[in-house]
Coordinates of all heavy atoms in Angstrom, one line a residue:
M380 N -12.3 -7.3 17.3 CA -13.1 -7.5 16.1 C -13.4 -6.1 15.4 O -13.8 -5.2 16.1 CB -14.4 -8.2 16.4 CG -15.0 -9.0 15.3 SD -16.3 -10.1 15.8 CE -17.5 -9.0 16.4
R381 N -13.1 -6.1 14.2 CA -13.2 -4.8 13.5 C -14.3 -4.9 12.4 O -14.0 -5.3 11.2 CB -11.9 -4.4 12.9 CG -10.9 -4.0 14.0 CD -9.6 -3.4 13.4 NE -8.9 -4.4 12.5 CZ -7.7 -4.1 11.9 NH1 -7.2 -2.9 12.1 NH2 -7.1 -5.0 11.2
K382 N -15.5 -4.7 12.8 CA -16.6 -4.8 11.8 C -16.7 -3.5 11.0 O -16.5 -2.4 11.5 CB -17.9 -5.1 12.5 CG -18.2 -6.6 12.7 CD -18.9 -7.2 11.6 CE -19.2 -8.6 11.8 NZ -19.1 -9.5 10.7
N383 N -17.1 -3.6 9.7 CA -17.3 -2.5 8.9 C -16.2 -1.5 8.9 O -16.3 -0.3 9.0 CB -18.6 -1.7 9.3 CG -19.8 -2.6 9.2 OD1 -20.0 -3.3 8.3 ND2 -20.7 -2.5 10.2
R384 N -15.0 -2.1 8.9 CA -13.8 -1.3 8.8 C -13.7 -0.5 7.6 O -14.1 -0.9 6.5 CB -12.6 -2.2 8.9 CG -11.3 -1.6 9.2 CD -10.3 -2.6 9.7 NE -10.0 -3.5 8.7 CZ -8.8 -3.5 8.1 NH1 -7.9 -2.6 8.4 NH2 -8.5 -4.4 7.1
K385 N -13.3 0.8 7.7 CA -13.2 1.6 6.6 C -11.7 1.9 6.3 O -10.9 2.1 7.2 CB -13.8 3.0 6.8 CG -15.3 2.9 6.9 CD -15.9 4.3 7.1 CE -17.4 4.3 7.1 NZ -18.0 3.6 8.4
I386 N -11.3 1.8 5.0 CA -10.0 2.0 4.6 C -10.0 3.2 3.6 O -10.8 3.2 2.7 CB -9.3 0.7 4.0 CG1 -9.4 -0.4 5.0 CG2 -7.9 1.0 3.6 CD1 -8.9 -1.7 4.4
F387 N -9.1 4.1 3.8 CA -9.0 5.2 2.9 C -7.6 5.2 2.2 O -6.6 4.8 2.8 CB -9.1 6.5 3.7 CG -10.4 6.7 4.4 CD1 -10.6 6.1 5.7 CD2 -11.5 7.3 3.7 CE1 -11.9 6.3 6.3 CE2 -12.7 7.4 4.3 CZ -12.9 6.9 5.6
C388 N -7.6 5.8 1.0 CA -6.3 6.0 0.4 C -5.6 7.2 1.1 O -6.2 8.2 1.3 CB -6.5 6.4 -1.1 SG -5.0 7.0 -1.9
N389 N -4.4 6.9 1.6 CA -3.7 7.9 2.3 C -3.3 9.2 1.5 O -3.2 10.3 2.0 CB -2.4 7.4 2.9 CG -2.6 6.5 4.1 OD1 -3.1 5.4 4.0 ND2 -2.2 7.0 5.3
K390 N -3.2 9.0 0.2 CA -2.8 10.2 -0.6 C -4.0 11.0 -1.0 O -3.9 12.3 -0.8 CB -2.1 9.7 -1.9 CG -1.6 10.8 -2.7 CD -0.4 10.3 -3.6 CE 0.1 11.5 -4.4 NZ -0.2 11.4 -5.9
C391 N -5.1 10.5 -1.5 CA -6.2 11.3 -2.0 C -7.4 11.3 -1.1 O -8.3 12.0 -1.3 CB -6.6 10.9 -3.4 SG -7.4 9.3 -3.5
G392 N -7.4 10.4 -0.1 CA -8.5 10.3 0.9 C -9.7 9.5 0.4 O -10.7 9.4 1.1
K393 N -9.6 8.9 -0.8 CA -10.8 8.2 -1.3 C -11.0 7.0 -0.4 O -10.1 6.3 0.1 CB -10.4 7.7 -2.7 CG -11.3 6.7 -3.4 CD -10.7 6.3 -4.7 CE -10.6 4.8 -4.9 NZ -11.9 4.1 -5.0
K394 N -12.3 6.7 -0.2 CA -12.7 5.5 0.6 C -12.8 4.3 -0.3 O -13.4 4.3 -1.3 CB -14.0 5.8 1.3 CG -14.4 4.7 2.3 CD -15.5 5.1 3.2 CE -16.8 4.6 2.6 NZ -18.0 5.0 3.4
F395 N -12.2 3.2 0.1 CA -12.2 2.0 -0.7 C -13.6 1.3 -0.5 O -14.2 1.3 0.5 CB -11.1 1.0 -0.3 CG -9.7 1.5 -0.7 CD1 -8.9 2.1 0.2 CD2 -9.3 1.2 -2.0 CE1 -7.7 2.5 -0.2 CE2 -8.1 1.6 -2.4 CZ -7.2 2.3 -1.5
V396 N -14.0 0.7 -1.6 CA -15.3 -0.1 -1.6 C -15.0 -1.4 -0.9 O -14.1 -2.1 -1.3 CB -15.8 -0.3 -3.0 CG1 -17.0 -1.2 -3.0 CG2 -16.0 1.0 -3.7
M397 N -15.7 -1.6 0.2 CA -15.5 -2.8 1.0 C -16.8 -3.7 0.9 O -17.9 -3.2 0.8 CB -15.3 -2.5 2.5 CG -14.2 -1.5 2.7 SD -12.5 -2.2 2.7 CE -12.6 -3.2 4.2
N398 N -16.5 -5.0 1.1 CA -17.6 -5.9 1.3 C -17.1 -7.0 2.2 O -16.2 -7.8 1.9 CB -18.1 -6.6 -0.1 CG -19.3 -7.5 0.1 OD1 -20.0 -7.4 1.1 ND2 -19.5 -8.4 -0.9
K399 N -17.8 -7.0 3.4 CA -17.4 -8.0 4.5 C -15.9 -7.9 4.7 O -15.1 -8.9 4.7 CB -17.8 -9.4 4.1 CG -19.2 -9.7 4.0 CD -19.5 -11.1 3.8 CE -21.0 -11.5 4.0 NZ -21.9 -10.9 3.0
D400 N -15.4 -6.7 4.9 CA -14.0 -6.4 5.3 C -13.0 -6.8 4.2 O -11.8 -6.9 4.4 CB -13.6 -7.2 6.6 CG -13.8 -6.3 7.8 OD1 -14.4 -5.2 7.6 OD2 -13.5 -6.7 8.9
I401 N -13.5 -7.1 3.0 CA -12.6 -7.3 1.9 C -12.7 -6.2 0.9 O -13.8 -5.8 0.5 CB -13.0 -8.7 1.2 CG1 -12.8 -9.8 2.2 CG2 -12.1 -8.9 -0.1 CD1 -13.3 -11.1 1.7
V402 N -11.5 -5.6 0.6 CA -11.5 -4.5 -0.4 C -11.9 -5.0 -1.8 O -11.3 -6.0 -2.2 CB -10.1 -3.8 -0.4 CG1 -10.1 -2.6 -1.3 CG2 -9.8 -3.3 1.0
Q403 N -12.8 -4.3 -2.4 CA -13.3 -4.7 -3.7 C -12.7 -4.1 -4.9 O -13.2 -4.0 -6.0 CB -14.8 -4.5 -3.7 CG -15.6 -5.1 -2.6 CD -15.6 -6.6 -2.7 OE1 -16.0 -7.2 -3.8 NE2 -15.2 -7.3 -1.7
E404 N -11.5 -3.4 -4.7 CA -10.8 -2.8 -5.8 C -9.3 -2.8 -5.5 O -8.9 -3.2 -4.5 CB -11.4 -1.4 -6.0 CG -11.2 -0.5 -4.7 CD -12.0 0.8 -4.8 OE1 -11.8 1.5 -5.9 OE2 -12.7 1.2 -3.9
G405 N -8.6 -2.3 -6.5 CA -7.1 -2.3 -6.4 C -6.7 -1.5 -5.2 O -7.1 -0.4 -5.0
I406 N -5.8 -2.1 -4.4 CA -5.3 -1.3 -3.2 C -3.8 -1.7 -3.1 O -3.4 -2.9 -3.2 CB -6.1 -1.7 -1.9 CG1 -5.5 -0.9 -0.7 CG2 -6.1 -3.2 -1.6 CD1 -6.4 -1.0 0.5
F407 N -3.0 -0.7 -2.8 CA -1.6 -0.9 -2.5 C -1.4 -0.7 -1.0 O -1.5 0.4 -0.5 CB -0.7 0.1 -3.3 CG 0.7 0.0 -3.1 CD1 1.5 -1.0 -3.6 CD2 1.4 0.9 -2.2 CE1 2.9 -1.1 -3.4 CE2 2.7 0.8 -2.0 CZ 3.5 -0.2 -2.5
N408 N -1.1 -1.8 -0.3 CA -0.9 -1.7 1.1 C 0.6 -1.9 1.4 O 1.2 -2.8 1.0 CB -1.7 -2.8 1.8 CG -1.4 -2.9 3.3 OD1 -0.7 -3.8 3.7 ND2 -1.8 -1.9 4.1
M409 N 1.1 -0.9 2.2 CA 2.5 -0.9 2.5 C 2.7 -0.9 4.0 O 2.1 0.0 4.6 CB 3.1 0.3 1.8 CG 4.6 0.5 2.1 SD 5.5 -0.7 1.1 CE 7.1 -0.5 1.8
E410 N 3.5 -1.7 4.5 CA 3.9 -1.7 5.9 C 5.4 -1.9 5.9 O 5.9 -2.9 5.4 CB 3.2 -2.7 6.7 CG 3.5 -2.6 8.2 CD 2.6 -3.4 9.1 OE1 1.4 -3.1 9.2 OE2 3.1 -4.4 9.7
Y411 N 6.1 -1.0 6.6 CA 7.6 -1.1 6.5 C 8.2 -0.7 7.9 O 7.8 0.3 8.5 CB 8.1 -0.2 5.4 CG 9.6 -0.3 5.3 CD1 10.2 -1.4 4.7 CD2 10.5 0.7 5.8 CE1 11.5 -1.6 4.6 CE2 11.9 0.5 5.7 CZ 12.4 -0.6 5.1 OH 13.7 -0.8 5.0
M412 N 9.0 -1.5 8.4 CA 9.8 -1.2 9.6 C 11.1 -0.7 9.2 O 12.0 -1.4 8.7 CB 9.9 -2.4 10.5 CG 10.4 -2.1 11.9 SD 10.4 -3.4 13.0 CE 12.0 -4.2 12.6
W413 N 11.3 0.6 9.7 CA 12.6 1.2 9.4 C 13.7 0.5 10.2 O 13.5 0.2 11.4 CB 12.6 2.7 9.7 CG 11.8 3.4 8.6 CD1 10.4 3.7 8.7 CD2 12.2 3.9 7.4 NE1 10.0 4.3 7.5 CE2 11.1 4.5 6.7 CE3 13.5 4.0 6.8 CZ2 11.2 5.1 5.5 CZ3 13.6 4.6 5.6 CH2 12.5 5.2 4.9
G414 N 14.9 0.4 9.7 CA 16.0 -0.3 10.3 C 16.9 0.6 11.0 O 16.8 1.9 11.1
Y415 N 17.9 0.0 11.6 CA 18.9 0.7 12.4 C 19.6 1.8 11.8 O 19.9 2.8 12.4 CB 20.0 -0.4 12.8 CG 21.0 0.1 13.8 CD1 20.7 0.4 15.1 CD2 22.3 0.4 13.3 CE1 21.6 0.9 16.0 CE2 23.2 0.9 14.2 CZ 22.9 1.2 15.5 OH 23.9 1.7 16.4
F416 N 19.9 1.8 10.5 CA 20.7 2.8 9.9 C 19.9 4.0 9.4 O 20.4 5.0 8.9 CB 21.5 2.2 8.7 CG 22.5 1.2 9.1 CD1 22.3 -0.1 9.0 CD2 23.7 1.7 9.8 CE1 23.2 -1.0 9.4 CE2 24.6 0.7 10.3 CZ 24.4 -0.6 10.1
S417 N 18.6 3.9 9.6 CA 17.7 5.0 9.3 C 17.6 5.9 10.5 O 17.9 5.6 11.6 CB 16.3 4.5 8.8 OG 15.6 4.1 9.9
K418 N 17.0 7.1 10.2 CA 16.6 8.0 11.4 C 15.3 7.6 12.0 O 14.9 8.3 12.9 CB 16.6 9.5 10.9 CG 17.9 10.0 10.3 CD 17.8 11.5 10.0 CE 19.1 12.0 9.5 NZ 19.5 11.6 8.1
K419 N 14.7 6.6 11.5 CA 13.4 6.2 12.0 C 13.5 4.8 12.6 O 12.5 4.0 12.6 CB 12.3 6.1 10.9 CG 12.2 7.5 10.2 CD 11.3 7.3 9.0 CE 11.2 8.5 8.1 NZ 12.6 8.9 7.5
D420 N 14.6 4.4 13.2 CA 14.9 3.1 13.7 C 13.8 2.6 14.6 O 13.4 3.2 15.5 CB 16.2 3.1 14.4 CG 16.6 1.7 15.0 OD1 16.1 0.7 14.4 OD2 17.3 1.7 16.0
G421 N 13.2 1.4 14.2 CA 12.2 0.8 15.0 C 10.8 1.3 14.7 O 9.8 0.7 15.2
E422 N 10.6 2.3 13.9 CA 9.3 2.8 13.6 C 8.7 2.0 12.5 O 9.4 1.7 11.5 CB 9.3 4.3 13.1 CG 9.7 5.3 14.2 CD 9.7 6.7 13.7 OE1 9.1 6.9 12.6 OE2 10.3 7.6 14.4
I423 N 7.4 1.6 12.6 CA 6.7 0.9 11.6 C 5.8 1.9 10.9 O 4.9 2.5 11.5 CB 5.9 -0.3 12.1 CG1 6.9 -1.3 12.8 CG2 5.1 -0.9 11.0 CD1 6.2 -2.4 13.5
H424 N 6.0 2.1 9.6 CA 5.1 3.0 8.8 C 4.2 2.2 7.9 O 4.7 1.2 7.3 CB 6.0 3.9 8.0 CG 6.8 4.9 8.7 ND1 7.3 6.1 8.2 CD2 7.2 5.0 10.0 CE1 7.9 6.8 9.1 NE2 7.9 6.1 10.2
S425 N 3.0 2.5 7.9 CA 2.1 1.8 7.0 C 1.1 2.8 6.3 O 0.8 3.8 6.9 CB 1.3 0.7 7.7 OG 0.5 1.3 8.7
F426 N 0.7 2.5 5.1 CA -0.3 3.3 4.4 C -0.9 2.5 3.3 O -0.4 1.4 2.9 CB 0.4 4.6 3.9 CG 1.5 4.4 2.9 CD1 1.2 4.3 1.5 CD2 2.8 4.3 3.3 CE1 2.3 4.1 0.6 CE2 3.8 4.2 2.4 CZ 3.6 4.1 1.1
D427 N -2.0 3.0 2.8 CA -2.7 2.4 1.7 C -2.8 3.4 0.6 O -3.0 4.6 0.8 CB -4.1 2.0 2.1 CG -4.1 0.9 3.2 OD1 -3.5 -0.1 3.0 OD2 -4.6 1.2 4.3
L428 N -2.7 3.0 -0.7 CA -2.9 3.8 -1.8 C -3.9 3.2 -2.7 O -3.9 2.0 -2.9 CB -1.6 4.1 -2.6 CG -0.5 4.9 -1.9 CD1 0.7 4.9 -2.8 CD2 -1.0 6.3 -1.6
C429 N -4.8 4.0 -3.3 CA -5.7 3.5 -4.4 C -4.8 3.3 -5.6 O -3.7 3.7 -5.7 CB -6.9 4.4 -4.7 SG -6.4 6.0 -5.4
E430 N -5.4 2.6 -6.6 CA -4.6 2.2 -7.8 C -4.1 3.4 -8.5 O -3.0 3.5 -9.1 CB -5.4 1.3 -8.7 CG -4.6 0.5 -9.7 CD -5.3 -0.6 -10.3 OE1 -6.5 -0.9 -10.0 OE2 -4.6 -1.3 -11.1
K431 N -5.0 4.5 -8.6 CA -4.6 5.7 -9.3 C -3.5 6.4 -8.7 O -2.5 6.8 -9.3 CB -5.8 6.6 -9.4 CG -5.5 7.9 -10.2 CD -6.7 8.9 -10.2 CE -6.3 10.2 -10.9 NZ -5.0 10.8 -10.3
C432 N -3.5 6.5 -7.3 CA -2.4 7.2 -6.6 C -1.1 6.3 -6.7 O 0.0 6.9 -6.8 CB -2.8 7.4 -5.2 SG -4.0 8.7 -5.0
Y433 N -1.3 5.0 -6.7 CA -0.1 4.2 -6.9 C 0.5 4.4 -8.2 O 1.7 4.6 -8.4 CB -0.5 2.7 -6.7 CG 0.6 1.8 -7.1 CD1 1.6 1.4 -6.1 CD2 0.8 1.2 -8.3 CE1 2.7 0.6 -6.4 CE2 1.8 0.4 -8.6 CZ 2.8 0.1 -7.7 OH 3.8 -0.7 -8.0
D434 N -0.3 4.5 -9.3 CA 0.2 4.7 -10.6 C 0.8 6.1 -10.7 O 1.9 6.3 -11.4 CB -1.0 4.6 -11.7 CG -1.4 3.2 -11.9 OD1 -0.6 2.3 -11.5 OD2 -2.5 3.0 -12.4
D435 N 0.2 7.1 -10.0 CA 0.8 8.4 -10.0 C 2.2 8.4 -9.4 O 3.1 9.0 -9.8 CB -0.1 9.4 -9.2 CG -1.3 9.8 -10.0 OD1 -1.4 9.4 -11.2 OD2 -2.2 10.4 -9.4
M436 N 2.3 7.7 -8.3 CA 3.5 7.6 -7.5 C 4.6 7.0 -8.3 O 5.7 7.5 -8.5 CB 3.3 6.8 -6.2 CG 4.6 6.7 -5.4 SD 4.4 5.8 -3.8 CE 4.2 4.1 -4.4
I437 N 4.4 5.8 -8.9 CA 5.4 5.1 -9.6 C 5.8 5.8 -11.0 O 6.8 5.6 -11.5 CB 5.1 3.6 -9.9 CG1 3.9 3.4 -10.8 CG2 4.9 2.9 -8.5 CD1 3.8 2.0 -11.2
S438 N 4.8 6.6 -11.5 CA 5.1 7.4 -12.7 C 6.2 8.4 -12.5 O 6.8 8.9 -13.4 CB 3.9 8.0 -13.2 OG 3.5 9.1 -12.4
Q439 N 6.5 8.7 -11.2 CA 7.5 9.7 -10.9 C 8.9 9.0 -10.7 O 9.9 9.7 -10.5 CB 7.2 10.5 -9.6 CG 5.9 11.3 -9.8 CD 5.4 11.8 -8.4 OE1 6.1 11.9 -7.5 NE2 4.1 12.2 -8.4
F440 N 8.9 7.7 -10.7 CA 10.2 7.0 -10.5 C 11.0 7.2 -11.8 O 10.5 7.1 -12.9 CB 9.9 5.5 -10.3 CG 9.3 5.1 -9.0 CD1 9.0 6.1 -8.1 CD2 9.1 3.8 -8.7 CE1 8.4 5.7 -6.9 CE2 8.5 3.4 -7.5 CZ 8.2 4.4 -6.6
I441 N 12.3 7.4 -11.6 CA 13.2 7.4 -12.8 C 13.4 6.0 -13.3 O 13.4 5.8 -14.5 CB 14.5 8.1 -12.4 CG1 14.3 9.6 -12.1 CG2 15.6 7.9 -13.5 CD1 15.5 10.3 -11.5
I442 N 13.6 5.1 -12.4 CA 13.7 3.7 -12.8 C 12.4 3.0 -12.5 O 11.9 3.0 -11.4 CB 14.9 3.0 -12.0 CG1 16.2 3.7 -12.3 CG2 15.0 1.5 -12.3 CD1 17.3 3.3 -11.4
P443 N 11.8 2.4 -13.5 CA 10.5 1.8 -13.3 C 10.5 0.6 -12.3 O 11.5 0.0 -12.0 CB 10.0 1.3 -14.7 CG 11.3 1.2 -15.5 CD 12.3 2.2 -14.9
V444 N 9.3 0.3 -11.7 CA 9.2 -0.8 -10.7 C 9.4 -2.1 -11.5 O 9.2 -2.2 -12.7 CB 7.8 -0.8 -10.0 CG1 7.6 0.4 -9.2 CG2 6.7 -1.0 -11.0
D445 N 9.9 -3.1 -10.8 CA 10.0 -4.4 -11.3 C 8.6 -5.0 -11.3 O 7.9 -5.0 -10.3 CB 10.9 -5.3 -10.5 CG 12.4 -4.9 -10.7 OD1 12.7 -4.5 -11.8 OD2 13.2 -5.1 -9.7
I446 N 8.2 -5.6 -12.4 CA 6.9 -6.2 -12.5 C 7.1 -7.7 -12.9 O 7.8 -7.9 -13.9 CB 6.0 -5.5 -13.5 CG1 5.7 -4.1 -13.0 CG2 4.6 -6.3 -13.6 CD1 4.9 -3.2 -14.0
R447 N 6.6 -8.6 -12.1 CA 6.6 -10.0 -12.4 C 5.2 -10.5 -12.4 O 4.3 -10.0 -11.8 CB 7.5 -10.8 -11.4 CG 8.9 -10.6 -11.5 CD 9.6 -11.4 -10.4 NE 9.3 -10.8 -9.1 CZ 9.2 -11.5 -7.9 NH1 9.5 -12.7 -7.9 NH2 8.9 -10.9 -6.8
D448 N 5.0 -11.6 -13.1 CA 3.7 -12.3 -13.2 C 3.7 -13.3 -12.0 O 4.5 -14.1 -11.9 CB 3.6 -13.0 -14.5 CG 2.1 -13.4 -14.7 OD1 1.4 -13.7 -13.7 OD2 1.7 -13.6 -15.9
S449 N 2.7 -13.1 -11.1 CA 2.7 -14.0 -9.9 C 2.4 -15.4 -10.3 O 2.7 -16.3 -9.6 CB 1.6 -13.5 -9.0 OG 0.3 -13.5 -9.6
N450 N 1.9 -15.7 -11.5 CA 1.7 -17.1 -12.0 C 3.1 -17.8 -12.1 O 3.1 -19.0 -12.0 CB 1.0 -17.1 -13.3 CG -0.4 -16.6 -13.2 OD1 -1.1 -16.8 -12.2 ND2 -0.9 -15.9 -14.2
E451 N 4.1 -17.0 -12.3 CA 5.4 -17.7 -12.4 C 5.9 -18.4 -11.1 O 6.7 -19.2 -11.1 CB 6.5 -16.7 -12.8 CG 6.4 -16.2 -14.2 CD 7.3 -15.0 -14.5 OE1 8.2 -14.7 -13.7 OE2 7.1 -14.3 -15.5
M452 N 5.3 -17.9 -10.0 CA 5.7 -18.4 -8.7 C 5.1 -19.8 -8.4 O 5.5 -20.5 -7.5 CB 5.3 -17.4 -7.6 CG 5.7 -16.0 -7.9 SD 7.1 -15.4 -7.0 CE 6.6 -15.5 -5.3
I453 N 4.0 -20.1 -9.1 CA 3.3 -21.3 -8.8 C 4.0 -22.6 -9.4 O 4.4 -22.5 -10.5 CB 1.8 -21.2 -9.3 CG1 1.1 -20.1 -8.5 CG2 1.1 -22.6 -9.0 CD1 -0.3 -19.8 -9.1
Ligands
ZN317 ZN1 -5.8 7.7 -4.0

């Protein structure tokens, strides 16, 4: 049981606003297991970014992220 869990933005260190273990603001949560052809085979990397750091990160992409409306999936 993880009561009063704190989550921080890995990039800027900002603490996310939480209420009953639910993040009350935009958060980008990433968890990725590297595969066989990488140098990190079998390692699971995870991190969280606040919305500002996420925007900063994707603003450096040469090709923009794909954005879809989740309502289309329903
Ligand atoms: Zn941040």
Side-chain angles (χ1 to χ4, degrees):
M380 209 164 63
R381 294 188 294 181
K382 274 268 181 216
N383 298 320
R384 196 159 66 104
K385 292 184 178 67
I386 302 177
F387 297 89
C388 171
N389 281 71
K390 184 156 182 252
C391 71
K393 174 181 125 67
K394 190 169 91 179
F395 287 98
V396 176
M397 306 278 292
N398 184 19
K399 294 187 169 67
D400 270 4
I401 297 171
V402 180
Q403 302 293 306
E404 57 190 312
I406 181 169
F407 177 79
N408 171 254
M409 179 72 189
E410 182 168 294
Y411 184 74
M412 189 173 86
W413 287 91
Y415 182 74
F416 295 105
S417 73
K418 295 186 177 74
K419 304 172 187 61
D420 181 25
E422 292 182 14
I423 298 171
H424 290 200
S425 63
F426 61 88
D427 300 298
L428 293 177
C429 70
E430 196 164 3
K431 182 187 175 300
C432 289
Y433 174 84
D434 288 341
D435 287 351
M436 179 179 75
I437 65 169
S438 73
Q439 295 167 23
F440 290 2
I441 290 170
I442 299 168
V444 297
D445 286 330
I446 298 175
R447 283 178 296 153
D448 192 333
S449 59
N450 292 327
E451 290 171 12
M452 314 256 299
I453 297 171

